[in-house]
Amino acid sequence: MKIQQDKIKMIISSLAITQDDEADCIDCYEELDVYAEMLKDGKDPDMVMPMIKQHLEVCKCCREELEGLLSALESID
Ligand SMILES: [Zn+2]
C-alpha cells in the first residue's frame, strides 16, 4: 500500500505535536491489512491489536481505509 508523499509529511508533522502511546496513522496503515484479514476470517483483531482498534475509533480516514481493504478482500473470494 502506497501512501502519498504529502500525506506522509502531514502525518509526520502532526506526530510532532501529539506524543502519546496511541497508534498513529502510519502504525495503523502498517497493521491494517492484517487487521482486515483477521476480521474477514472471523477472528478478533481487537484482542491482538487493541491500539489499532483504539485508533480506528478516533480516525475516520483509517476507518475508510479499512472499509476499502475489507471490500477488496471480499471481492477476491
Ligand atoms: Zn489514522
Side-chain angles (χ1 to χ4, degrees), residues 32-41 66-77:
L32 212 54
D33 53 339
V34 181
Y35 190 97
E37 274 186 39
M38 288 184 79
L39 274 182
K40 181 182 154 286
D41 292 343
L66 176 63
E67 280 169 24
L69 276 172
L70 284 171
S71 56
L73 284 171
E74 276 166 21
S75 68
I76 293 170
D77 287 343

Side-chain angles (χ1 to χ4, degrees), residues 47-69:
M47 294 289 288
V48 188
M49 296 177 263
M51 306 262 281
I52 303 301
K53 178 189 187 261
Q54 195 180 32
H55 182 81
L56 288 169
E57 283 171 358
V58 296
C59 183
K60 186 171 179 283
C61 64
C62 287
R63 274 204 304 276
E64 285 173 355
E65 190 70 28
L66 176 63
E67 280 169 24
L69 276 172

